[in-house]
Amino acid sequence: MNDEDKANTVLIKEAARSILKDEIKHLNLVPSVAIKLLKLTNDDNARIESLSLIIETEPVLAAKILKQVNSAAYALPNKITSIHRAVNMLGFSTVRQLAINLLLYNKLVHQDSKQAFDLLFFWQHCLYVASLSRRIALALGHQDPDLVYTGGLLHDIGKIVMETYGRVTYSDFITSMDKSGNSSIEEERLFFGITHAEMGHIFCLEWQLPTSIMAIAACHHNQPAETSPYAKYKTEIAIVSFANYIAWIQGIGSATHDSHSKLQSAVLEAINIDQLNLEALLQQVDQDMKITREFYDIQLPGLTTLRATLVKATINLSQISTDKPYVAADTSGRKSSSCLTAPHHSLNPDEFIPRTLEAIQGEFSFDRSIMFTIDPKRRCLIASYGWPESILQAQLQPFEIDMSGIFGLLLKCLREKKAVIINTKLEPHNQIIQRLKTNEFIAVPVLHHNRLVGVLYADNSLSKKTMHEQLLPEIMPIAYELGIAMFNAKQYNQQKKHAQLDHLTQLFNKRMVNNVLTDIFQGDESKLANIAIGFVDIDKFKLFNDTCGHQAGDDALKIVADILRSLTRPGDFIGRYGGEEFLFILRNTDQKGAYGYAERLRSEIERRGKIMSGRFHGHLLTVSIGVSMYSTDYTHYNDMIEAADQAMYRAKNEGRNRIVMQPEIVADKNKLASSYDTTVSG
């Protein structure tokens, strides 16, 4: 991979990260067993043994494989009772293909879908493309038809990633699509800032799928350049692209919305379709799909539907050049606005709003632009972002406009949600004109579901160019996209915060504990010397549930969480580690300070437990605490956690309701108990 390819991959990864709820490597999308099946070696002897072993270790999969191979579809003379025999009888290719199909079907689409992106329809498309790809590969004498089949099955995996784990889903994309005439690929880039092919490529990279599969996922809409590392797979890519095209013109696209598909001339250069008996191939695939329909109970489109689709496809293709990229008509003469794509590259307002303002300035040649956000509690507009950045220099801060002081055209903009042009002739006393020393500016409402979330400002204060009314309808779509992006960013932040918290105690969860410790141990080594980690475990917690019921157990957890919050300094960290265990991380402390904090915590929980003993049927609420101080012997934070855990178990074994330090500390414990500064955290 050359430097340019590497740079592009980094950019695509960033774009993918910005629209997904989690890192791709954490996405539980393709079962690990399926990954193993995809990675099997080409050694025939090893393949049969490896395949049998993998399937046999998955009982549910093994049962389904045996049920299928014993069905009428395979017409075997004797009943097959072992996976190893099934592989020998049917062959590696057939069993591996069947296993992968079952795994992906059960994981991805074995569910009722009421979303715009119909997962069952998508699965039908993948199977059709896979089956046709394999048949074409066989007809062309390809050395590995199974590879082409798998590539066809996974070519659109990026769509599933977007639908299942996108902050904005593929269903949202389908719902938003208009009838612009653009291909789905072009519309995807406008909507997400990334295409499903690019998303599929990144997914395959992160999950380390075979390079051939990566190539097909990445390039099935655009053949790779000769310098690309995927160029050697151009035949496989071309076969899947051709099968994908044939599926589309028959009405078997990956989604019901699919707009026109394009068959590149490079595809026809890579494969000689004159060698193909298309009639025979389609009949064979029809037979494959008949078996598929019976097995998965998928209803395929009838002849009438296919004929209607063919007519529509022919009409579309007669109007579109197969090699020239389609560009939607723009009556303004301006190219498709890059401003519209800017909000989709990130869900961080500090990134996408300045980027959008910069794009607006370049697109419309404005001198300055500002994004005013709304503070509903204080009822004011706040100048939050500006471009160029110097527009909101120190002397202009804070730049706030009280809602009660807004009048005239700006008030009309807010109330009627219409873009307006305001100048000194109409409103010489307008406070924005006076504050920014301009003669004229545009104000555009930024909306989401017709609710005002901000105001977009732009002027030509330096060039003095007149701002014309025809600019208003051109800039409104940008404000609309900004509104969606700002809403999505707010929703994402709320979801992110929710995902970081334990739902019962509202403390941070184990995942956040690990993230914080990772950051600490990757930071400045000099600060590690003053770190303490403590395990807090509720004594005899099972009795709360067994004696008083699970509600009492939940109440005990909440009490401990509340006390942790009340006694912990800002800058330190507390979280629920799991079950009845809590973990604290203290910064800038020493043995005395860590012991002091732990003792305050232990004694307060004991005190509260005595008060609440009636609620818990006389059972006392106490905790055992183990604390470890950082040592250079700890090469990973897990070592430090393990030391604290062992110290906690010592406290349990020594009688509970006590603290054990690692390393041990010998001193006056009454003095130690007051040595932690207990400034209350927020």
Side-chain angles (χ1 to χ4, degrees), residues 252-452:
I252 313 176
S254 62
T256 52
H257 81 287
D258 275 356
S259 58
H260 69 76
S261 184
K262 290 188 283 191
L263 184 64
Q264 304 165 65
S265 59
V267 170
L268 301 180
E269 292 169 3
I271 57 175
N272 184 2
I273 64 170
D274 291 334
Q275 290 181 246
L276 302 177
N277 183 338
L278 288 176
E279 182 178 353
L281 283 173
L282 293 176
Q283 286 178 350
Q284 291 166 353
V285 175
D286 285 345
Q287 183 61 30
D288 293 341
M289 295 305 288
K290 179 182 178 183
I291 296 172
T292 298
R293 180 184 63 212
E294 292 170 355
F295 184 65
Y296 292 105
D297 194 23
I298 297 175
Q299 294 301 314
L300 302 181
L303 287 175
T304 304
T305 303
L306 293 180
R307 286 174 63 190
T309 306
L310 282 168
V311 170
K312 293 177 184 176
T314 304
I315 293 171
N316 278 338
L317 292 172
S318 69
Q319 300 177 47
I320 301 167
S321 168
T322 58
D323 289 315
K324 294 180 181 179
Y326 181 87
V327 180
D330 186 343
T331 55
S332 70
R334 184 179 286 112
K335 295 179 181 178
S336 179
S337 176
S338 61
C339 314
L340 289 171
T341 66
H344 299 297
H345 288 280
S346 171
L347 278 176
N348 181 355
D350 292 341
E351 292 179 3
F352 71 74
I353 293 181
R355 186 182 298 171
T356 303
L357 295 180
E358 180 184 11
I360 287 172
Q361 186 185 33
E363 199 82 27
F364 295 91
S365 299
F366 294 138
D367 291 343
R368 304 186 298 184
S369 54
I370 296 175
M371 180 67 200
F372 286 92
T373 55
I374 294 177
D375 186 332
K377 292 183 179 179
R378 296 167 56 198
R379 290 190 53 77
C380 67
L381 293 176
I382 301 173
S384 303
Y385 305 92
W387 194 267
E389 294 176 340
S390 59
I391 187 176
L392 296 178
Q393 48 197 273
Q395 59 265 36
L396 286 177
Q397 296 289 8
F399 189 173
E400 300 178 0
I401 303 171
D402 192 295
M403 292 285 196
S404 61
I406 295 175
F407 60 89
L409 286 173
L410 185 55
L411 183 61
K412 178 181 179 180
C413 170
L414 301 181
R415 283 184 175 174
E416 299 182 14
K417 302 178 178 63
K418 292 182 179 179
V420 296
I421 296 177
I422 303 172
N423 57 45
T424 52
K425 292 181 180 178
L426 295 172
E427 297 182 8
H429 302 297
N430 183 284
Q431 55 183 311
I432 296 180
I433 286 177
Q434 293 180 347
R435 186 75 177 269
L436 292 176
K437 296 180 173 57
T438 186
N439 295 322
E440 187 177 43
F441 69 88
I442 284 178
V444 184
V446 178
L447 310 170
H448 182 263
H449 288 325
N450 209 37
R451 294 186 62 180
L452 193 70

Side-chain angles (χ1 to χ4, degrees), residues 1 201 205 211 214-215 218-219 224-225 228-234 237:
M1 186 179 291
H201 180 210
L205 275 173
T211 308
M214 291 184 202
C219 305
S228 168
Y230 299 141
K232 63 180 178 180
Y233 300 107
K234 63 182 180 181
I237 296 167

Side-chain angles (χ1 to χ4, degrees), residues 60-81:
V60 175
L61 175 62
K64 289 184 177 181
I65 292 288
L66 291 175
K67 179 180 179 182
Q68 180 62 7
V69 300
N70 286 305
S71 69
Y74 292 93
L76 296 177
N78 299 308
K79 185 166 180 150
I80 304 294
T81 57

Side-chain angles (χ1 to χ4, degrees), residues 457-503:
Y457 165 100
D459 70 27
N460 286 326
S461 59
L462 301 177
S463 64
K464 308 299 182 184
K465 289 189 297 186
T466 302
M467 310 191 88
H468 299 288
E469 290 285 338
Q470 59 262 36
L471 284 173
L472 302 184
E474 292 179 25
I475 203 170
M476 279 298 291
I478 301 166
Y480 172 75
E481 291 293 327
L482 259 180
I484 293 175
M486 291 171 68
F487 175 80
N488 289 339
K490 183 178 179 182
Q491 291 291 100
Y492 166 65
N493 286 331
Q494 290 174 348
Q495 291 176 6
K496 183 178 179 181
K497 184 177 180 181
H498 181 71
Q500 294 172 344
L501 298 179
D502 169 61
H503 74 280

Side-chain angles (χ1 to χ4, degrees), residues 537-554 556-557 579-581 616 619-622 652 656:
D537 188 276
I538 299 178
D539 295 326
K540 299 182 179 180
F541 181 72
K542 190 172 184 295
L543 289 178
F544 286 95
N545 290 325
D546 293 348
T547 306
C548 314
H550 287 284
Q551 183 58 53
D554 289 349
L557 291 167
E580 66 271 27
E581 291 183 335
F616 300 133
H619 184 56
L620 295 178
L621 175 63
T622 62
K652 292 276 189 188
R656 299 186 178 88

